[in-house]
Amino acid sequence: MVKPEDTFEMEASVGTSETDIKPYGAANAQVPTIKFARKIYGMLLNNQASSTNTLTIKIYDTDGTTLLRSIAITIGAYDTLDISRSIDSPILTVYAGQYLKAVASVASVTVVMNAYDL
Amino acid sequence: MNGSGYIRDILTPIRQALLAENMNFALIFPVRIRNDWKFELFFFRVMRRYVLHRTYDSELSELSAYGQTGYSVDFKYVGETAMGSGDDVLSIWHEYPFRILHFGIGIRPSEIWLYKAIPSGYPQTGWGYKILPSVGNKRDYIDGYLSPYDEPTVASETILYYKLTVYLGLVNSSGRKVRPSLKFFGAGYDCIPITSREIINRMIVGAIPCRFITVGGLTEFPYAIPGEWKNNSVEVDKKLVESLMLGGGRYG
């Protein structure tokens, strides 16, 4: 069973170039292959721009280049989107070997995600 | 723990597997484990016990994410200042030959893999491979799911006396940097040796409650015992066990 000490955050300031979403100390945005999946159960998104911004969350396949999923989230100027779910009902699943990245239509969006690995 | 002393569930919290005053236990050591097996047992009765508790956290270094340089620590003793540095915090003064430490190891976070070598050079294993495990192998480690920090279990059960210490290895299996925390929790016992062959025979067949505890996993390893224990050794082989099960009372 996942306990609080097993959870972690991933933070990034996402601009118009694709940015890795990864935990502290990770070499890259890939979910380790010795895991089963990374479960994201919380998201805090803050649009730092003075106009409406679209944050696109992207999940790439294990080759790092094949785009599997793309999720566009639109946020108003200076708005904050706070999504909080229980550990048992995560928002997003990224499977072992896949990569999690994000890009904004306008610089920048502050991204904080709560996650745990299975 | 039931009256017979058996702990079948290996995820039993260690606090439910500890012994109390006036309970019996036997430590099992391997003499020969290939083909014609033989074990050496030492029987004791707990006379006194006290809680054993120590956290081990600031002494540990941050481990890198899995697969990166610095993601593991090879076998070292548990030192006062750091792994392999300073006095061994799990050592027992030689003046206490009948002091036994009985504890589990709680691990945090759950993705930390803990390996035990008892004694140094002999990693504990339950498998039957020719080669003993190394730190980093996907076998024979205990993680925080098997022995959580707040509730260490029998999976990490460790017995120590003054001639025996444990070396620990660590792996960070997570995708992030982690500074682990460990908790040593159990009890220390002051014991008297049981040497009556009649009593021992009845313990072996289960007629007198006795908790049998394997020392050092299923590895074959050279072990040193206190000089004060030397006359209390009981060798158990197939012939003896079958004889006792049939109601025979002979020992030796």
Side-chain angles (χ1 to χ4, degrees), chain A residues 1 3 5-8 23-27 32 34-35 38 117, chain B residues 62 65-66 68 108-111 138 144-145 173-177:
Chain A
M1 195 163 75
K3 298 184 287 296
E5 66 234 44
D6 302 323
T7 65
F8 54 90
Y24 165 67
I34 63 165
K35 299 297 171 185
R38 178 161 292 163
D117 286 349
Chain B
E62 188 177 67
Y66 185 77
Q68 295 184 34
R108 168 186 285 173
S110 305
E111 291 165 293
K138 280 188 170 180
Y145 293 109
S173 80
S174 79
R176 61 196 187 280
K177 282 188 179 180

Side-chain angles (χ1 to χ4, degrees), chain B residues 144-158:
Chain B
Y145 293 109
L146 294 182
S147 190
Y149 185 86
D150 291 324
E151 188 76 278
T153 69
V154 168
S156 61
E157 184 174 45
T158 305

Side-chain angles (χ1 to χ4, degrees), chain B:
Chain B
M1 187 169 74
N2 61 34
S4 68
Y6 296 120
I7 305 289
R8 294 176 66 179
D9 182 355
I10 210 153
L11 297 185
T12 299
I14 196 69
R15 59 184 167 82
Q16 294 177 15
L18 297 174
L19 300 158
E21 294 85 346
N22 231 34
M23 290 176 94
N24 308 313
F25 68 99
L27 302 183
I28 308 171
F29 294 85
V31 176
R32 284 195 307 271
I33 61 169
R34 306 177 200 195
N35 304 321
D36 173 31
W37 58 261
K38 182 178 281 190
F39 302 100
E40 187 176 24
L41 278 66
F42 297 87
F43 290 80
F44 300 94
R45 191 173 186 90
V46 177
M47 299 308 292
R48 303 196 308 165
R49 80 157 186 187
Y50 194 70
V51 66
L52 200 68
H53 180 255
R54 194 197 201 281
T55 55
Y56 198 75
D57 30 53
S58 55
E59 301 87 342
L60 293 167
S61 300
E62 188 177 67
L63 298 177
S64 301
Y66 185 77
Q68 295 184 34
T69 303
Y71 82 102
S72 68
V73 175
D74 208 351
F75 288 111
K76 290 187 169 67
Y77 69 87
V78 185
E80 188 76 46
T81 50
M83 293 288 287
S85 171
D87 294 335
D88 183 346
V89 305
L90 300 175
S91 66
I92 300 167
W93 190 31
H94 69 276
E95 293 289 323
Y96 298 136
F98 292 104
R99 175 69 52 83
I100 306 282
L101 304 187
H102 183 199
F103 59 92
I105 306 173
I107 301 160
R108 168 186 285 173
S110 305
E111 291 165 293
I112 293 296
W113 296 355
L114 180 79
Y115 299 78
K116 292 199 295 174
I118 293 180
S120 170
Y122 293 89
Q124 292 194 284
T125 184
W127 296 89
Y129 296 116
K130 185 177 178 183
I131 309 290
L132 291 175
S134 304
V135 171
N137 283 175
K138 280 188 170 180
R139 61 180 172 103
D140 295 314
Y141 65 83
I142 306 144
D143 60 20
Y145 293 109
L146 294 182
S147 190
Y149 185 86
D150 291 324
E151 188 76 278
T153 69
V154 168
S156 61
E157 184 174 45
T158 305
I159 286 279
L160 296 177
Y161 52 91
Y162 92 85
K163 286 265 188 172
L164 192 69
T165 193
V166 61
Y167 277 54
L168 301 181
L170 295 166
V171 161
N172 175 15
S173 80
S174 79
R176 61 196 187 280
K177 282 188 179 180
V178 165
R179 201 295 315 275
S181 294
L182 302 177
K183 174 187 282 197
F184 302 103
F185 175 63
Y189 309 130
D190 272 346
C191 309
I192 55 169
I194 302 297
T195 57
S196 158
R197 295 299 189 258
E198 188 180 342
I199 293 173
I200 286 170
N201 288 351
R202 293 173 67 191
M203 286 183 183
I204 291 173
V205 296
I208 294 178
C210 177
R211 169 94 200 278
F212 290 83
I213 305 176
T214 299
V215 180
L218 301 189
T219 315
E220 191 172 47
F221 63 95
Y223 52 92
I225 56 163
E228 294 84 349
W229 295 14
K230 277 197 166 46
N231 293 329
N232 307 333
S233 165
V234 173
E235 287 203 338
V236 174
D237 60 11
K238 177 177 179 296
K239 190 176 166 185
L240 172 66
V241 170
E242 287 179 345
S243 166
L244 292 175
M245 287 171 74
L246 285 170
R250 185 181 175 277
Y251 170 80

